[in-house]
Amino acid sequence: MNAAVDALVCIILVTAAIAGVLTVEQSPPTRIDRADTVANTLTTTTTTVEHSPRLEFNNLADRAISPDRHHLTRRTHGTLAGLITHATISGTRTQKAQITRIDDMFRLRVRNAVRARTGGRVRVDARWIPYPGSPLFAHFSVGPRPLSDDVHTATVSIPVGVEPLAIDTHDQFQTLGTAVAARIIAVVIPPGPARVMMRDDEPEITLTRHRYAQLQSLTNASLAEPLAIEDTSEANERLTAALAPEITSDLQDRYETPAVAVEAVSGSTVEIVIRTWDHGGGS
């Protein structure tokens, strides 16, 4: 297997494999709560997902880069929670557009792996929301929706490779907005793994450049110069600088003070909510 194939997700899977923060919302004491047991399964069970991405492009030149042509097979190993986290971030989007290419086969394989180990009456909802109302977000789900309101719930928070914001270090909206923007960009396209991908073979190069192109379109940042020399750190700094004013303005509109805004920011983790129930359930 090409060592760079999964470089763009290695940070997520390594941090997810280390630990998750588990909280359980207690259900009525008359029944055994399965949600915490499922949460433990997700954070401790490891598996390997093998898949061949089906890539679709918007122009004829890129369309020549196909998994069939390059015999592209990916094998991604990690905890079930780590794989869920990767599947979530792979669907990062805005309200109007998809930022990252969704690999439907990978997400399907992750769903199958999770359901094989959790059963039928389990719903898993994962979400990455840097803060409520963030312009970029991601979500992923496994299993049917419960019809009954009588459910057991547990929550697992999985790190995505960026440091959480320190509450006492941002007393101005401008510095806070820049810090949040930097973390959003670092999660969507980590500069180190991205640099490795851009120096590898196709289709990794095209996939990475596509992600940068989507972010450039979103922010109007100028990335031609840094990407021409594969300087992903500079590219990410330009994306951060372009995104920061929007984030700063949005945080100012939503929160009275920077301190209140910091408490609402949660971009350093993917939150996985597990719901279980005894009877009923929808598809």
Side-chain angles (χ1 to χ4, degrees):
M1 183 183 77
N2 191 315
V5 166
D6 293 314
L8 204 53
V9 302
C10 66
I11 292 177
I12 292 173
L13 294 181
V14 168
T15 54
I18 294 173
V21 178
L22 171 64
T23 61
V24 179
E25 298 176 11
Q26 293 297 332
S27 299
T30 56
R31 301 192 331 188
I32 298 175
D33 192 344
R34 287 187 56 232
D36 56 345
T37 302
V38 173
N40 183 67
T41 297
L42 296 182
T43 56
T44 59
T45 302
T46 61
T47 190
T48 299
V49 172
E50 183 174 309
H51 57 111
S52 297
R54 304 301 306 175
L55 312 181
E56 295 181 1
F57 299 94
N58 296 324
N59 61 72
L60 292 176
D62 284 345
R63 198 170 298 164
I65 309 301
S66 70
D68 292 337
R69 176 181 176 184
H70 294 277
H71 306 289
L72 175 60
T73 298
R74 288 185 172 179
R75 296 176 181 86
T76 307
H77 181 79
T79 64
L80 292 175
L83 294 172
I84 290 170
T85 298
H86 173 26
T88 303
I89 298 301
S90 75
T92 300
R93 60 172 297 113
T94 68
Q95 291 289 351
K96 297 181 179 180
Q98 194 73 40
I99 298 300
T100 53
R101 292 193 183 280
I102 290 184
D103 183 347
D104 290 331
M105 179 56 69
F106 172 73
R107 287 159 73 94
L108 176 62
R109 293 288 174 84
V110 172
R111 285 192 175 97
N112 290 343
V114 172
R115 295 201 70 176
R117 290 163 177 81
T118 59
R121 292 196 296 271
V122 176
R123 171 75 175 192
V124 177
D125 288 291
R127 62 181 183 178
W128 176 68
I129 303 177
Y131 63 88
S134 169
L136 278 79
F137 58 90
H139 56 81
F140 178 71
S141 62
V142 181
R145 295 181 181 274
L147 291 179
S148 172
D149 293 331
D150 188 12
V151 298
H152 309 287
T153 305
T155 302
V156 181
S157 296
I158 302 297
V160 292
V162 297
E163 292 294 326
L165 291 174
I167 294 178
D168 58 349
T169 58
H170 297 284
D171 57 1
Q172 296 182 358
F173 276 110
Q174 183 175 0
T175 60
L176 176 59
T178 299
V180 173
R183 282 161 174 76
I184 289 175
I185 297 302
V187 170
V188 175
I189 188 160
R195 186 181 303 111
V196 173
M197 298 280 278
M198 292 187 69
R199 293 174 178 176
D200 201 68
D201 300 323
E202 293 291 4
E204 286 82 9
I205 297 172
T206 297
L207 286 170
T208 306
R209 288 189 176 277
H210 167 79
R211 189 168 298 192
Y212 272 116
Q214 292 291 90
L215 290 168
Q216 178 176 260
S217 177
L218 173 70
T219 62
N220 292 318
S222 177
L223 303 183
E225 292 181 3
L227 292 185
I229 57 174
E230 299 162 352
D231 188 348
T232 54
S233 294
E234 173 64 21
N236 281 27
E237 288 179 7
R238 293 190 182 193
L239 288 170
T240 296
L243 182 62
E246 178 183 351
I247 300 296
T248 299
S249 177
D250 196 26
L251 292 174
Q252 285 178 314
D253 290 342
R254 294 176 183 277
Y255 302 102
E256 293 185 0
T257 67
V260 174
V262 168
E263 293 182 353
V265 172
S266 58
S268 62
T269 61
V270 164
E271 182 181 79
I272 303 175
V273 178
I274 301 102
R275 288 179 290 170
T276 64
W277 60 97
D278 284 345
H279 303 287
S283 56

